[in-house]
Amino acid sequence: MKERKRVLGTESFDDIDDNIGIVMPILTDCDVDEDFTEGMEKVGDVLPILPLRNMVLFPGVALPVVVGRPKSMRLIKEAVHKKSLIGVVCQKDMATEEPGFDDLYETGVIADVVRVLEMPDGTTTVILQGKKRFELNEISESEPYLTGKITILEDTMPDKTDREFEALISTIKDLTVKMLGAVADPPRDLIFSIKNNKNILYLINFSCSNIPSGAAEKQQLLLISDLKDRAYRLLFILNREYQLVELKASIQMKTHEDINQQQKEYFLQQQIKTIQEELGGNINELEIKELREKAAKKKWPASVAEIFEKEIRKLERLHPQSPDFSIQTQYVQTIVNLPWNECSKDNFNLAHAQKVLDRDHYGLEKVKERIIEHLAVLKLKGDMKSPIICLYGPPGVGKTSLGRSVAEALNRKYVRISLGGLHDEAEIRGHRRTYIGAMCGRIIQNLQKAGTSNPVFILDEIDKVTNDFKGDPASALLEVLDPEQNNTFHDNYLDIDYDLSKVMFIATANNLNTISQPLLDRMELIEVSGYIMEEKVEIATKHLVPKQLSIHGIDKGKVKFQKKALQAIIESYTRESGVRELDKKIAKVMRKLARKIASDEAIPSVIKPEDLHEYLGAVEYTRDKYQGNEYAGVVTGLAWTAVGGEILFVESSLSKGKGAKLTLTGNLGDVMKESAMLALEYIHAHASLFNINEDMFENWNVHIHVPEGAIPKDGPSAGITMVTSLVSAFTQRKVKSNLAMTGEITLRGKVLPVGGIKEKILAAKRAGIKELILCKENRKDIEEIKSEYLKGLTFHYVEDIQQVVDLALLREKVRNPLF
């Protein structure tokens, strides 16, 4: 270039060029050669090609390039020697060492080598001046450097009278100057030159070269032939990048302001501290005054008032900046916020209480009776220690929800805490105040929330309390649930005795076996047994269906369930003692109906049993049915499970063999295995009573199996069933039809009582059983069951095994060729 190309300033946002170096576009004074055509007459169809890394050269722009590749060095030396122009093209991937045609962008710029500088560090820097754009048609990779066939591209200039273009250029100038001004030390000469340069093509290309974008976006700008379109695209990029610059500046400003605010607050805190020390007073006097006003309204004992006064004086002496100040404030607030001797007034209307309990829960007569009794005593006496009730039974029978109904019936506040998985004693009794973050236990916390000293307090899942190295919460509950001790309950944090005797505690549990005996001894146990079919249908009709209609946004009365449909759901799609699974199945039907309604499809007004397959799919459960008495050795027993009663079959068979081997299958527990061995030994010892040949015990192997082998079974209640099965197998006598039995046996032949009688009777009715054999002592359990549950059943009460065999086995024998 000639001397008129003086360097006015440098600025760049790019990183790496041809091989290694840093890109620094140079703004030049371009009053002459405004269209950059000087020397273009020498350019033919073929040009030497210089590939650049991560840099795009624009017409009119001068850029320094650090040259490192041998081919590039040879090209530069020859161009300087011959004073010829070269083609400059950007690589697509800067990591490519030997680029070919596919590795280069198809649009490049013809350039003049202005100057070659040997740098002190041994590298060579070349200053290139862009001329015209060209399109690269093909490339030759032959030595000593790359050459390519090109087609020169012309820029389309807008009309000089285009006012829109003039405004566009002015906006680009302003944005470029703003971005340069955002730099910490802006180049004033460069800003001055941009403002006063009249060469529009050069100004646009210089701004394109300086945008802080990657090579790909710059290459897109170079592709645009129409100068107005290129200017618009450039303005879009400049706006985007300037917004990013402003955002960065805003973030820095906010951070700076935040630091200033912290310093200001620290300074003010120091001033407050100094003023406080000078005055010798407490700026929290207003808060302490409020605490004293609250305390004046409390009905607490004199001993509590004395402790409060002592603690509030200690708080007054503490400095607000002291670490102990917030701890002491929290403790005093805890004392004040507790409902000392503040009780809600009980509603002694027994008819109202009965109505509320009947409205919310179907059945559960024992529980309702106990609540009404408690109300009656309260009404007569005026004051009494509240009972500690424990409702136990299978899941989903309404134990927890019963507590809310009790609270409403008594007009008391309702509080519930879940004890499932609780393993820290401090959750019950609280932490001592010496610990950091200490707080009172959950009993005291919930009394604060309730605001009264006589709420209905539900201790949910008390059988799932665990213990570990942090203590034993079950032992901590002993004091809470003992009516003789809980009038002076001691919380470690509060450190003042609190009277819990007016609280009505209702604990719930699924299994009593996991509760410690001392804890059980302190509670009044009320069994909430499973519901029978008729009860479940009533619960679904009165409670579950209306609730699910409301939840799913379906108008009341739009859909009804036939009772037979509800019975089908209960029998074929649920297996539980409660109604939780039934509720889910009804909800599933409602979702299907809601979808149809939302899709403007017709829905049935009445759900029938035959519709259930569409809404609930295939039948999930089938109830065991009585299978007849055509086989010897097959006897029907009764079993209790967590989801209700079931019938089970005990099968015995004999096979010839030596050694009197006994085989037990069916996933039996230890107690049940012992019952089987006991039964066989009893029959062996009393073979003559049953007309069994003694030789059979030596020459026949015995196999006892209980079907559904995947399900674990245990317990002693199948004892008489196994004896009957074995006697039937040894004698081949038929078992009386439609008969089931349950009872434990002893080696002396006595029959002992068993539990779960109600559930077992319901299972027998479902299976079509007509007669039941029970221990004589189980008669009392039968008498407590409603008469409607016992219709169609005949009960035989026995005391020894001989009676069982006489009742259960017929004289008729099964035809068997082996006997």
Side-chain angles (χ1 to χ4, degrees), residues 2-210:
K2 299 178 182 178
E3 287 301 320
R4 57 183 171 77
K5 293 183 180 175
R6 59 188 179 85
V7 177
L8 297 176
T10 61
E11 186 64 22
S12 171
F13 298 96
D14 287 12
D15 291 321
I16 298 182
D17 70 272
D18 172 16
N19 295 309
I20 311 168
I22 297 179
V23 182
M24 299 177 68
I26 301 173
L27 181 67
T28 57
D29 189 2
C30 298
D31 295 332
V32 185
D33 191 22
E34 287 189 358
D35 57 353
F36 317 116
T37 57
E38 184 178 344
M40 287 297 295
E41 64 275 4
K42 302 176 187 177
V43 177
D45 294 334
V46 179
L47 265 183
I49 300 300
L50 177 67
L52 302 181
R53 303 180 202 252
N54 200 33
M55 183 185 74
V56 179
L57 181 65
F58 284 79
V61 179
L63 285 179
V65 176
V66 178
V67 180
R69 286 188 280 218
K71 282 188 178 182
S72 300
M73 289 295 295
R74 288 195 290 269
L75 186 150
I76 294 299
K77 286 179 182 178
E78 187 170 326
V80 171
H81 179 69
K82 294 181 178 181
K83 297 183 179 178
S84 61
L85 300 178
I86 64 173
V88 178
V89 186
C90 181
Q91 293 179 198
K92 294 177 181 177
D93 184 1
M94 62 180 293
T96 306
E97 286 297 329
E98 296 293 335
F101 182 79
D102 293 332
D103 301 315
L104 301 173
Y105 287 105
E106 293 179 5
T107 305
V109 174
I110 298 170
D112 185 12
V113 181
V114 179
R115 187 175 297 174
V116 179
L117 302 172
E118 295 295 331
M119 306 306 289
D121 59 357
T123 59
T124 301
T125 300
V126 179
I127 297 176
L128 302 176
Q129 175 80 45
K131 291 289 185 182
K132 287 282 185 184
R133 297 181 308 117
F134 68 85
E135 183 180 1
L136 185 63
N137 300 320
E138 63 179 78
I139 198 167
S140 172
E141 299 181 17
S142 58
E143 294 295 329
Y145 47 74
L146 299 178
T147 58
K149 287 186 178 181
I150 67 165
T151 302
I152 295 175
L153 303 173
E154 293 294 335
D155 290 330
T156 305
M157 297 290 291
D159 191 351
K160 291 184 179 180
T161 61
D162 190 343
R163 301 289 292 171
E164 181 183 352
F165 182 72
E166 186 178 339
L168 189 60
I169 296 302
S170 176
T171 307
I172 289 173
K173 277 186 180 182
D174 292 341
L175 267 176
T176 305
V177 170
K178 281 182 180 179
M179 291 186 70
L180 290 170
V183 180
D185 187 14
R188 294 181 182 178
D189 292 341
L190 183 59
I191 293 171
F192 179 82
S193 300
I194 290 171
K195 286 182 177 179
N196 295 285
N197 200 306
K198 303 298 182 185
N199 190 329
I200 293 171
L201 176 62
Y202 178 78
L203 277 172
I204 291 174
N205 288 341
F206 180 79
S207 294
C208 288
S209 181
N210 272 282

Side-chain angles (χ1 to χ4, degrees), residues 573-742:
Y573 294 93
T574 66
R575 179 165 284 186
E576 58 175 350
S577 293
V579 291
R580 190 170 287 145
E581 190 66 25
L582 175 60
D583 193 31
K584 292 177 185 176
K585 295 301 178 185
I586 294 172
K588 187 175 180 180
V589 175
M590 293 300 179
R591 288 196 298 272
K592 304 279 187 186
L593 294 172
R595 180 178 175 179
K596 285 189 174 184
I597 294 170
S599 304
D600 296 325
E601 297 179 24
I603 63 166
S605 59
V606 178
I607 303 297
K608 301 175 182 176
E610 52 267 26
D611 300 328
L612 295 180
H613 188 275
E614 177 187 351
Y615 297 110
L616 297 177
V619 170
E620 296 178 22
Y621 304 106
T622 55
R623 292 288 181 183
D624 291 328
K625 297 295 181 184
Y626 177 70
Q627 298 177 357
N629 63 340
E630 298 302 316
Y631 300 93
V634 180
V635 182
T636 307
L638 298 172
W640 178 91
T641 69
V643 296
E646 295 287 344
I647 67 167
L648 56 81
F649 301 99
V650 175
E651 303 174 347
S652 299
S653 67
L654 305 179
S655 59
K656 286 187 177 181
K658 295 291 183 181
K661 180 182 176 185
L662 173 63
T663 305
L664 302 172
T665 55
N667 202 349
L668 309 182
D670 291 339
V671 176
M672 207 163 181
K673 288 178 181 176
E674 289 170 1
S675 294
M677 291 186 283
L678 192 62
L680 184 61
E681 287 300 320
Y682 177 81
I683 294 170
H684 195 171
H686 300 82
S688 58
L689 290 176
F690 305 112
N691 297 319
I692 301 172
N693 191 341
E694 290 283 351
D695 295 338
M696 293 191 71
F697 296 98
E698 298 298 327
N699 301 317
W700 294 81
N701 293 327
V702 180
H703 186 160
I704 298 176
H705 175 68
V706 183
E708 296 188 50
I711 301 173
K713 310 169 192 72
D714 202 5
S717 63
I720 64 172
T721 313
M722 288 180 171
V723 170
T724 309
S725 175
L726 287 171
V727 172
S728 175
F730 277 113
T731 62
Q732 290 299 294
R733 290 167 62 183
K734 280 188 176 183
V735 181
K736 194 174 184 180
S737 60
N738 300 108
L739 175 76
M741 59 188 71
T742 182

Side-chain angles (χ1 to χ4, degrees), residues 396-524:
V397 294
K399 300 185 297 297
T400 304
S401 62
L402 189 66
R404 192 181 296 275
S405 299
V406 171
E408 185 181 347
L410 296 174
N411 193 32
R412 292 191 181 189
K413 292 295 181 80
Y414 171 78
V415 177
R416 172 187 167 273
I417 63 171
S418 178
L419 300 177
L422 195 74
H423 55 83
D424 188 355
E425 181 187 340
E427 289 284 331
I428 305 296
R429 282 196 180 142
H431 305 81
R432 297 193 180 278
R433 277 194 290 157
T434 52
Y435 293 104
I436 295 173
M439 58 194 303
C440 50
R442 291 174 62 179
I443 303 293
I444 297 297
Q445 283 180 32
N446 281 281
L447 284 172
Q448 278 184 318
K449 290 178 185 177
T452 64
S453 290
N454 65 336
V456 173
F457 208 120
I458 305 297
L459 299 171
D460 218 0
E461 310 290 357
I462 198 169
D463 56 325
K464 295 174 181 62
V465 175
T466 59
N467 62 327
D468 64 3
F469 65 93
K470 296 179 182 177
D472 184 5
S475 299
L477 283 170
L478 294 177
E479 183 184 4
V480 176
L481 300 181
D482 190 342
E484 300 300 322
Q485 298 180 38
N486 65 8
N487 60 336
T488 55
F489 172 69
H490 188 86
D491 185 274
N492 290 329
Y493 178 81
L494 187 62
D495 206 20
I496 306 171
D497 290 341
Y498 193 90
D499 185 4
L500 297 179
S501 63
K502 297 173 184 176
V503 179
M504 185 173 187
F505 288 101
I506 300 179
T508 71
N510 297 130
N511 185 5
L512 297 181
N513 296 331
T514 58
I515 305 176
S516 65
Q517 192 58 43
L519 196 56
L520 273 178
D521 189 53
R522 284 164 168 78
M523 298 186 291
E524 182 178 340

Side-chain angles (χ1 to χ4, degrees), residues 261-292:
Q261 182 66 22
Q262 288 178 5
Q263 291 173 343
K264 180 181 177 182
E265 287 175 359
Y266 175 76
F267 178 73
L268 290 173
Q269 288 289 349
Q270 291 301 314
Q271 283 186 322
I272 290 171
K273 185 177 178 181
T274 305
I275 293 168
Q276 181 66 34
E277 288 174 353
E278 289 292 324
L279 293 174
N282 190 343
I283 60 171
N284 287 277
E285 286 180 1
L286 183 61
E287 184 178 352
I288 292 173
K289 184 181 178 183
E290 289 176 358
L291 289 171
R292 287 189 181 278

Side-chain angles (χ1 to χ4, degrees), residues 327-365:
I327 297 171
Q328 185 67 14
T329 303
Q330 181 184 349
Y331 177 65
V332 173
Q333 286 175 342
T334 302
I335 297 175
V336 170
N337 291 332
L338 275 171
W340 302 91
N341 295 326
E342 295 173 21
C343 299
S344 58
K345 188 176 180 181
D346 287 325
N347 183 354
F348 295 121
N349 189 332
L350 302 185
H352 167 74
Q354 188 71 52
K355 184 178 178 181
V356 170
L357 295 172
D358 289 339
R359 179 198 68 194
D360 294 341
H361 293 83
Y362 187 86
L364 307 181
E365 304 303 332

